[in-house]
Amino acid sequence: MEEVVTLQLEAPLALVTLNRPKSLNALNSEVYRQLIAILRRVEGMDDIKAVILTGAGDKAFAAGADIAQMVHEDSMAARRLSGLCHEAAGLLENMRQVTIAAVNGYALGGGCELTLACDIRIAAEQARFALPEVTLGIIPGGGGTQRLARLIGAGRAKEMIFTGDQIDAQEAWRIGLVNHVVPKEDLLETCRTLGKKIASRASYAVYLAKTAINSSQEIDLKNGAQREMDLMGLAFATHDKQEGMEAFLARRPPEFQDF
């Protein structure tokens, strides 16, 4: 079987690469299946604290769905493909590791949707983003209509989705779609540096914070605050809370154990 998604372990980091450079890393059922399998595998690795997702080659993170596959599909097949994309995106969004999208080029359609599911997005200067599905007579099917509006606001999301137009990295940064824009040659090192910084923190506390933030997207402020209080209580029951505070008072680096 062709390895269309690769995994490189660099504890405390994992580098996951969409690996179809000749087709600009176009996404099809097999890509999603392999991505899902790799993310599930990584989620069980205690020594991995952050996952960097990127695309192979010089041009694209992922230039959308594989239209050669989609053109002959019916409604049920399309829904199955959408389900695979949602499953992969759900893992990126909810796995206990922090996920960082290293956007090295075109992130279109499903590629853009995968970046939206990551916790943090860092773009190379030549990166471009779009949800162009309406130009093909369909709509985004991997979470684009949901996550983009939550990230940049409904008005901007509607403009991107209704026109299908591409935006460049600087515009993506201006509207809050990406966290940072860096020279392409610095992209992976920037992601690694950020990933290692996050990995040096108390990983269970980072996961609790991630859970609290993700929960806030689905519930009202009152219930979100209650959820935060509950998770704060969990944090105070951990070894790392005691170690972190004692290290602070003793003016020494903490030695977190992730529980």
Side-chain angles (χ1 to χ4, degrees):
M1 181 183 298
E2 183 183 5
E3 195 174 40
V4 292
V5 183
T6 64
L7 171 63
Q8 182 177 339
L9 297 174
E10 310 170 356
L13 309 178
L15 178 63
V16 178
T17 304
L18 305 171
N19 188 38
R20 299 183 70 204
K22 292 182 180 179
S23 61
L24 300 183
N25 303 316
L27 301 163
N28 58 23
S29 299
E30 186 56 32
V31 173
Y32 285 127
R33 290 190 184 98
Q34 290 190 26
L35 178 59
I36 289 164
I38 284 175
L39 293 175
R40 285 177 174 165
R41 177 184 166 195
V42 170
E43 190 174 24
M45 297 179 178
D46 292 337
D47 60 334
I48 299 299
K49 311 300 181 186
V51 177
I52 299 169
L53 178 66
T54 194
D58 296 327
K59 296 182 179 179
F61 174 86
D66 191 338
I67 305 303
Q69 174 187 339
M70 294 179 67
V71 67
H72 300 297
E73 291 184 339
D74 59 17
S75 296
M76 291 304 297
R79 200 177 191 287
R80 286 193 295 271
L81 182 64
S82 177
L84 287 172
C85 185
H86 275 281
E87 186 174 354
L91 282 165
L92 288 166
E93 187 170 59
N94 296 307
M95 65 194 300
R96 61 193 180 103
Q97 290 89 353
V98 171
T99 53
I100 302 171
V103 188
N104 54 309
Y106 290 106
L108 311 179
C112 184
E113 289 173 315
L114 289 178
T115 73
L116 295 175
C118 290
D119 297 311
I120 297 167
R121 287 154 294 281
I122 298 178
E125 291 171 333
Q126 68 268 38
R128 298 185 71 85
F129 298 82
L131 291 171
E133 284 83 356
V134 297
T135 69
L136 301 172
I138 58 174
I139 69 169
T145 63
Q146 305 302 303
R147 292 188 177 92
L148 185 62
R150 287 170 167 82
L151 186 64
I152 66 173
R156 287 194 174 103
K158 286 176 180 179
E159 182 177 355
M160 282 187 66
I161 292 169
F162 295 172
T163 65
D165 289 346
Q166 294 183 17
I167 61 172
D168 62 22
Q170 286 298 332
E171 177 66 4
W173 175 81
R174 188 186 73 82
I175 65 176
L177 179 54
V178 301
N179 298 70
H180 305 283
V181 178
V182 300
K184 185 174 183 180
E185 61 269 21
D186 298 334
L187 178 62
L188 282 181
E189 189 54 37
T190 299
C191 293
R192 287 186 174 101
T193 298
L194 179 60
K196 288 175 181 177
K197 175 183 281 190
I198 293 169
S200 72
R201 308 318 193 209
S203 293
Y204 186 61
V206 170
Y207 171 65
L208 292 178
K210 174 174 175 170
T211 301
I213 294 167
N214 285 351
S215 297
S216 73
Q217 306 300 308
E218 301 174 359
I219 55 180
D220 59 35
L221 179 59
K222 180 179 179 180
N223 286 299
Q226 182 63 56
R227 178 69 167 150
E228 182 183 75
M229 286 188 284
D230 292 342
L231 294 169
M232 179 70 161
L234 281 178
F236 264 70
T238 64
H239 164 277
D240 283 353
K241 169 265 175 182
Q242 198 65 30
E243 168 62 16
M245 293 189 177
E246 289 180 359
F248 176 84
L249 293 173
R251 298 187 178 182
R252 62 171 175 80
E255 296 181 7
F256 295 123
Q257 296 183 21
D258 303 327
F259 66 86

